[in-house]
Amino acid sequence: MNGITRRLPVASVVLALALAASGLTERVTQAQAQITSPEKFFGFQMGADRKLVRWDKAVEYYKLLEKESGGKLKVVNMGPTEMGNPFLLVIITSPANQARLEQLRQMNLKLSDPRGVPEAEIKRIVAEGKVVICQTMSMHASEVGGVNMAPELTYDLISRTDAETQRILDNVVYLEIPSFNPDGAIMIHDYYMKYVGTEYEGGSLPWLYNKYIGHDNNRDALTMNMKDSQYVGKLMFVDWKPQAYVDHHHMGTYGARIFVPPYAEPIRPLADPQVWREMQWYGGHIAYKEEEAGLSGVLNTGQYSGWGHFGFHWITPFHNIAGMLTESASVRVATPIFIDPSQLAGGDRGLETYKEQMNFPDPWPGGWWTLRGVVERQKVSAWATLDLAARNKDTVLWNAYLKASRQTERGAKGKPAAYAISANQHDPLTLNKLVNALLAQGIEVMQSARGFATPDGMTYPAGSFYVTLAQPKMGLIRYLLGETHYPDNEHTREPDGTPIRPYDMGQDVLAEYMGIRVDPLNEAVKSDFAKVAAQILTAGKVAAKAPFGYAIDGRLNDSFRTVNLLWDKGVAVRRVDSAADGLRPGDWLVPAGVEAVITDVAKRTGVDFAALKADVKQGAHEAKRLRIGMYQRYRGGNMDEGWTRWLFEQWGFPFTQVYDAEILKGSLNAKYDVFIFADDSTSTITGEPGGGGRGEGRGGMAFASVPNTTPPEYRSGIGAEGVNAIKDFVQKGGTLVTLGGATDFAITRLGLPVRNVVAGLSTKEFFVPGSTLRVNIDNTNPLAYGMPSEGLVLFHYSPAFDVVATDFNDRNTIIVRYADRDVERSGWLNGEKYIAGKTAMASIGFGQGKVVLIGFRTQNRAQTHGTYKFLFNALVSPPAR
Ligand SMILES: [Zn+2]
C-alpha cells in the first residue's frame, strides 16, 4: 500500500515534467479557441471515471469538427450497421491533401500493386505521395478505450499547431474508424449508464455487444459477413491499402498496462519479412513515446503471438500492411479498479513474471487503474504511429513498393506457382462465393472462358478459375486456398511437450471450409484468362418446357434458400429419397404450373430448375418446413447462436429464439418440431456453477466478480426443470439438434448411449485446435442428403463419439465418421489414433424423437459452407419412417 502512495505521485510528476519539457501543454491550450474540445462538447474529460461517450453524440462531434477543422477533417458515412447506426470513416490530413485525396489514393494503389508500373513512376509516387495509416477503435465494444480516446486524438490532430502535428498532417492520410462497432458502443454505454451507482455497476453486458456475433467480429475479417466488416475490409483491402494499421483493444486487468507491437512467437510465415520489421519499428517508437510521456507498464514482444487468427490486425500483414494492435488493461467499463501490487502478475508469453525486463522496463506499480489511464496510453500509441510514418514518409512508401514487389517475385518463383479452381465442383454456386470472398480481400482472380490445360496435362473446363501467386497478396492466397499446417516446434509446445494453444484456429483454409476443390499448380499457366472484375452473381435457369415439373440439385447449398423462398410462396416441394432417372437423394421436386414464382426465385438464388423427364411417383417424400426453436441465453450471449441466427435469416429459415422462461413452461412440442442448442458448455446451458460461456483464448477479459454484478433477471440457465422439458420434447417426437460442445449437454443430461472418446485426454495425448479433418459421409441418410461421400469438417477442440451398443441399436445412426488414417488435412492434429474411424455426427433415437449430435463446427462463423447441409437437412422434414 505504502509503495503505491509513494510511487504514484512520482509518475505524475514525471508526466508533468515531460509535457513541460516538450512545451506541449502551452501549445495544446493555445489552439483551443476555434475548435470545440471534447471536454466542452461531451461535458467531461475523455476517460473520466464513470463517463462514456455515446456513439450518436460522437457522430455529432465528428460532424462538428468537420465544420470547424478548416478543411483538415472529412467525415464519410460508410453506411448503416446491422442495427442501422451510422458507420463513420474520419479522414484527417492537410487541406492540400484533402483537395487531392482521390489522386493520392490512386498513387497509393500503384505502390501496393506495382506490377507493370515503371520504377521511375514509383520514385515519383514515393516523392509526391503520402503515407496512409488506418486505425480502428473499440471493435470489441466492451473495450471502451478506443471510442473514448478517438475524440481527443482527433481534436489534437486538427487543433494543435506545432511542427510535429503539421508534419503528420502534411505527410500522412489518416483513416480513422472512430468506432468499429457502433451498435456495441451504444449497447455498452446504455447498459453501463443504467446501472452506474448500483451494485451492478461495471458488470458485463448480459448479451452480445452487436446484433449477431459479439467478440467474433474480429474473426469476420476472413469472409466479411457483417456490414461493419465489409466497410473496413473494402477500405483497407481494396480502396486504400494503407501502409500500417492499428486496432485498439483491451486485455486482462492484472498484467501489463498496455501491450504494443511487435507480436511474440510464433511468427506466421509467408508475409514479407519487412512487415514484421515495420511492426518492431512502429512498436519501438510507440513504447519510446509512452516512456517520454511518463506512462508506465508498456509491454511489447509479449502475450500476443505473430500467428493469430485471421482477424483484421492479423490478416493485414498478408496484405503487406503492418497490421498491429494495442491491448490496454481493462477497467470495469468506466469504473476504476484498485489493484494491490501483489495482484500484478505475469504468466503469459514474454512476461513470465511481473518485473523489469527488456520488453517491459517500466512496470506499473499498482494502485487505482482508470479508464483515463487507458485513454492516455492508447492516444500516445495512436499518435506515435502517425508520427513515425510522418517522419519517415519516403522510406515507408518505398518499402510499401518493396513489400508488394518482393512478395510478387516470391510468388512467381515459389511452388505452387498458382492455384486452379475447376468450374466442375460439387456445389458450383458455393464456388462463386469463394471467388467473391477472394475478391473482397483484393485478391486478383482470373477466369477462363474456354477452359485451359496445365503443362502436366490437367484440363479445366470453361468457366474455371486461376489464381496466380505472382501477385502482392501471395501469402494470403496460400493460407486461404492451400493446405496449411500449424508449426509443431519449440514455440508451440511447453518444454515438457504440452502443446500451447494457438490464439485461434490452426489454419484458415477457406476453400476447405467451403468444400471447394483447389489444385496447386507447380508451373504457371499461360492462357486467355480474363480478370474477374466484380462479384459474381448468377441467375438460375428455368427449363422452358416442364410438363412433369422441375428438379433442383440438392447438392447446392442454395437449394435450401430456394426451397425456403418457394415455401414462402406456398409452393409444395418434394424431396428425392432414392436415386433414379438422373435424380439423387436430396434433390428437390417442384410441380409444374408455378412458373411465375420460380422464375423470380431462380434469378435471386442462381439455382437452376431442370425439367423432369417423367412424373416421379415413387422414391420421394413431401418435404415440409419444420418449426424451429433455438436456445437463447444471457451470460454475455452465445456467439455461435448469433452466427446461426444470422445464417438462418440469410437462408430463409424462420425460427424463434427461446429463452429460459419458455422452456420452463414445457409443452415445447406444441410450438416446435426442431430445437437447437448452438455450441455451448453444459454448465452454461443449465446455469450450474462453473459456467462462464466458452473461453476467448489468451488476452480475453475475465473478472471474478464477487458479489455478482449481473442483475438477477440476466442470470440464465435452464436448470433441472428445463432439462426435463427438453427431455419431454424429444420423448414426444421432437428433434433436438446439438452443435459442438452442446452435444455434451444432450449426452449427459438425456443419458444417451454415446461416449465422447476424447474427453479426459491430456493435450499431450490429443490436441486439435481448429483443423480441417477428413471424414466419410453416409449421404444416403436424409441428414446428409446432398453431401459428397467424403469431405472435410472443421474440428476445434470438438468432441468425437462412440455410439455404445444397446438393445436398441437400430434407433441410432452414424452419419459422419472420421477417416481411418491421414485424418488431418490442414491445421494441427496431435493424437490421430484417438479419433481415426470415430463418429463425428450421429442421430440417436430417444423416445419417439431423436437427438442429432454434430460434434464438429458445422456452421462455424458462417464460413464453413461445405458442411452447412448437415444442419440445414435437420431443419426440413425427413421421409416417414
Ligand atoms: Zn478485443
Side-chain angles (χ1 to χ4, degrees):
M1 289 287 289
N2 277 346
I4 299 164
T5 45
R6 230 182 300 122
R7 291 180 68 180
L8 266 185
V10 175
S12 315
V13 169
V14 170
L15 175 59
L17 285 175
L19 287 173
S22 63
L24 286 189
T25 36
E26 279 162 58
R27 288 200 301 259
V28 169
T29 44
Q30 264 171 18
Q32 287 169 0
Q34 319 89 311
I35 300 177
T36 309
S37 71
E39 289 88 332
K40 192 164 171 227
F41 183 84
F42 293 98
F44 52 88
Q45 187 188 38
M46 298 297 91
D49 292 351
R50 298 180 177 80
K51 300 284 185 195
L52 287 175
V53 165
R54 197 175 194 274
W55 179 241
D56 52 346
K57 289 295 281 180
V59 170
E60 268 179 50
Y61 182 60
Y62 292 114
K63 286 183 178 165
L64 176 66
L65 290 187
E66 184 177 33
K67 284 194 201 121
E68 295 179 343
S69 73
K72 295 176 192 167
L73 186 153
K74 199 162 152 184
V75 176
V76 180
N77 184 348
M78 301 190 84
T81 62
E82 295 292 340
M83 295 172 84
N85 292 300
F87 192 96
L88 296 194
L89 161 68
V90 175
I91 305 174
I92 301 162
T93 190
S94 72
N97 292 339
Q98 292 279 15
R100 58 174 194 132
L101 212 51
E102 179 56 21
Q103 189 198 354
L104 290 172
R105 188 178 76 83
Q106 294 293 348
M107 286 158 71
N108 194 63
L109 289 181
K110 286 188 178 166
L111 293 184
S112 52
D113 189 354
R115 288 178 295 169
V117 184
E119 197 168 300
E121 189 178 349
I122 296 294
K123 285 185 172 151
R124 185 182 61 79
I125 292 173
V126 167
E128 294 172 15
K130 304 295 170 187
V131 181
V132 183
I133 304 277
C134 180
Q135 303 198 52
T136 53
M137 311 297 169
S138 298
M139 153 199 288
H140 297 146
S142 58
E143 303 166 15
V144 296
V147 162
N148 290 274
M149 172 273 278
E152 203 174 286
L153 171 68
T154 309
Y155 170 76
D156 287 358
L157 281 166
I158 61 169
S159 66
R160 275 174 55 173
T161 53
D162 52 282
E164 184 172 296
T165 310
Q166 199 52 52
R167 185 168 50 226
I168 292 173
L169 294 175
D170 286 343
N171 290 330
V172 176
V173 174
Y174 172 38
L175 308 173
E176 178 172 272
I177 301 293
S179 168
F180 198 154
N181 181 359
D183 297 341
I186 291 172
M187 288 182 192
I188 292 287
H189 172 277
D190 292 357
Y191 185 82
Y192 178 79
M193 287 305 166
K194 182 177 173 187
Y195 291 104
V196 99
T198 73
E199 61 190 297
Y200 307 124
E201 174 178 323
S204 306
L205 191 71
W207 50 86
L208 297 170
Y209 49 57
N210 49 40
K211 190 169 179 188
Y212 299 106
I213 61 168
H215 200 81
D216 258 2
N217 55 359
N218 204 4
R219 276 72 164 173
D220 194 36
L222 194 65
T223 47
M224 294 178 268
N225 289 314
M226 299 293 140
K227 291 196 169 75
D228 296 1
S229 314
Q230 287 160 14
Y231 299 140
V232 176
K234 187 166 181 295
L235 180 77
M236 285 208 294
F237 306 154
V238 178
D239 289 349
W240 274 98
K241 304 183 184 172
Q243 278 77 47
Y245 167 61
V246 187
D247 193 19
H248 296 280
H249 287 255
H250 288 200
M251 56 182 177
T253 302
Y254 297 97
R257 294 302 89 190
I258 187 170
F259 159 83
V260 303
Y263 302 109
E265 301 297 344
I267 195 171
R268 190 199 276 241
L270 297 175
D272 186 80
Q274 190 74 328
V275 90
W276 304 112
R277 294 298 188 191
E278 281 181 328
M279 292 182 210
Q280 297 177 6
W281 196 41
Y282 284 105
H285 192 63
I286 292 168
Y288 186 78
K289 286 287 180 185
E290 300 275 5
E291 296 300 339
E292 183 183 280
L295 297 166
S296 61
V298 180
L299 170 75
N300 55 16
T301 330
Q303 202 147 343
Y304 296 90
S305 54
W307 191 314
H309 52 67
F310 259 166
F312 284 91
H313 60 88
W314 265 318
I315 202 168
T316 31
F318 300 88
H319 287 271
N320 302 317
I321 299 167
M324 302 175 276
L325 88 158
T326 73
E327 294 269 357
S328 299
S330 295
V331 290
R332 301 176 54 230
V333 192
T335 300
I337 184 163
F338 184 80
I339 300 171
D340 186 87
S342 68
Q343 292 167 330
L344 289 162
D348 220 322
R349 272 191 189 94
L351 187 66
E352 273 68 31
T353 48
Y354 191 90
K355 62 168 171 40
E356 286 91 339
Q357 58 182 43
M358 195 54 86
N359 59 347
F360 188 62
D362 186 13
W364 180 71
W368 280 103
W369 180 238
T370 65
L371 182 56
R372 183 66 201 166
V374 173
V375 163
E376 284 174 351
R377 282 166 180 78
Q378 276 196 3
K379 194 174 87 170
V380 168
S381 70
W383 187 278
T385 305
L386 300 170
D387 180 50
L388 185 82
R391 288 172 192 270
N392 300 280
K393 174 188 88 76
D394 289 12
T395 305
V396 171
L397 292 183
W398 178 252
N399 285 332
Y401 158 72
L402 280 187
K403 285 183 287 182
S405 50
R406 285 175 180 171
Q407 283 294 82
T408 305
E409 273 165 40
R410 278 186 196 103
K413 284 190 212 140
K415 282 191 188 343
Y419 290 102
I421 314 177
S422 175
N424 187 8
Q425 297 281 342
H426 183 79
D427 179 352
L429 291 176
T430 297
L431 166 59
N432 290 347
K433 289 172 190 165
L434 173 64
V435 170
N436 289 342
L438 298 177
L439 296 178
Q441 296 287 344
I443 290 168
E444 183 181 276
V445 181
M446 311 296 262
Q447 192 171 24
S448 167
R450 291 182 304 182
F452 62 95
T454 64
D456 54 2
M458 291 279 286
T459 58
Y460 292 86
S464 294
F465 297 96
Y466 179 81
V467 185
T468 177
L469 284 160
Q471 59 175 306
K473 301 190 184 190
M474 77 88 179
L476 181 61
I477 299 166
R478 286 277 294 269
Y479 285 112
L480 298 184
L481 298 182
E483 225 176 274
T484 304
H485 299 280
Y486 193 77
D488 183 352
N489 60 32
E490 71 277 17
H491 294 305
T492 59
R493 287 189 190 254
E494 305 286 2
D496 73 348
T498 305
I500 299 170
R501 201 179 160 122
Y503 199 91
D504 194 64
M505 302 288 171
Q507 50 70 46
D508 302 272
V509 190
L510 191 56
E512 294 176 6
Y513 288 174
M514 296 179 91
I516 300 299
R517 205 190 75 238
V518 173
D519 303 326
L521 304 180
N522 278 333
E523 283 178 67
V525 173
K526 290 231 162 31
S527 183
D528 53 349
F529 295 121
K531 203 189 272 190
V532 183
Q535 297 268 309
I536 301 171
L537 297 166
T538 51
K541 292 187 282 291
V542 179
K545 277 188 200 152
F548 304 106
Y550 303 88
I552 298 173
D553 189 339
R555 294 173 300 180
L556 305 173
N557 281 354
D558 282 291
S559 71
F560 285 91
R561 199 168 144 239
T562 303
V563 167
N564 275 321
L565 287 167
L566 294 174
W567 279 332
D568 289 346
K569 297 282 181 186
V571 176
V573 176
R574 290 185 300 154
R575 202 163 193 205
V576 174
D577 295 309
S578 38
D581 270 344
L583 295 171
R584 299 170 205 84
D587 287 349
W588 309 87
L589 304 174
V590 181
V594 289
E595 281 67 23
V597 174
I598 62 177
T599 305
D600 173 58
V601 169
K603 208 165 145 187
R604 288 168 65 183
T605 59
V607 169
D608 293 340
F609 288 72
L612 285 171
K613 287 182 222 130
D615 208 2
V616 179
K617 293 205 174 75
Q618 286 177 338
H621 70 277
E622 167 123 41
K624 289 236 167 77
R625 180 170 256 170
L626 297 179
R627 301 166 304 164
I628 304 165
M630 181 157 58
Y631 181 55
Q632 173 68 289
R633 62 165 167 83
Y634 293 112
R635 298 183 167 223
N638 178 347
M639 295 183 286
D640 195 54
E641 176 276 335
W643 282 115
T644 312
R645 186 158 30 93
W646 181 83
L647 203 63
F648 288 173
E649 288 175 10
Q650 297 297 309
W651 295 78
F653 289 103
F655 66 95
T656 309
Q657 295 180 63
V658 181
Y659 287 83
D660 291 353
E662 188 179 339
I663 293 180
L664 297 180
K665 270 191 225 150
S667 309
L668 291 168
N669 305 73
K671 282 178 74 180
Y672 307 108
D673 304 305
V674 183
F675 200 91
I676 300 168
F677 282 94
D679 180 51
D680 217 343
S681 69
T682 301
S683 57
T684 309
I685 294 170
T686 59
E688 293 154 30
R694 308 283 288 171
E696 289 295 341
R698 281 160 188 264
M701 296 206 295
F703 297 119
S705 251
V706 181
N708 195 338
T709 51
T710 304
E713 60 268 38
Y714 300 128
R715 296 175 193 171
S716 63
I718 64 173
E721 216 182 315
V723 170
N724 285 335
I726 297 291
K727 251 187 208 173
D728 184 61
F729 166 75
V730 186
Q731 257 155 354
K732 288 179 176 156
T735 297
L736 182 68
V737 176
T738 52
L739 307 179
T743 54
D744 177 76
F745 165 78
I747 294 167
T748 59
R749 295 308 188 264
L750 273 64
L752 304 180
V754 175
R755 200 169 62 85
N756 176 5
V757 294
V758 298
L761 293 175
S762 74
T763 55
K764 255 197 223 178
E765 294 167 303
F766 184 75
F767 187 71
V768 191
S771 307
T772 53
L773 305 186
R774 291 187 175 85
V775 292
N776 296 312
I777 302 161
D778 174 11
N779 58 9
T780 64
N781 187 293
L783 286 167
Y785 275 178
M787 290 297 294
S789 57
E790 291 176 5
L792 297 171
V793 300
L794 174 61
F795 193 101
H796 189 50
Y797 308 109
S798 303
F801 312 114
D802 262 343
V803 178
V804 179
T806 71
D807 291 345
F808 308 99
N809 295 320
D810 58 308
R811 310 208 52 208
N812 308 329
T813 319
I814 293 167
I815 298 149
V816 183
R817 278 183 200 276
Y818 293 102
D820 291 322
R821 67 185 72 82
D822 301 327
V823 181
E824 176 187 330
R825 170 66 177 270
S826 281
W828 191 6
L829 167 54
N830 178 38
E832 177 182 274
K833 66 177 179 185
Y834 294 103
I835 56 162
K838 295 296 181 186
T839 297
M841 172 180 175
S843 169
I844 306 297
F846 188 83
Q848 293 169 48
K850 64 172 187 276
V851 179
V852 179
L853 305 170
I854 308 180
F856 50 88
R857 307 301 305 268
T858 191
Q859 69 339 344
N860 190 62
R861 296 172 184 159
Q863 293 167 352
T864 52
H865 293 244
T867 51
Y868 283 176
K869 282 189 282 277
F870 292 124
L871 176 59
F872 291 171
N873 278 320
L875 308 178
V876 298
S877 67
R881 246 183 249 156

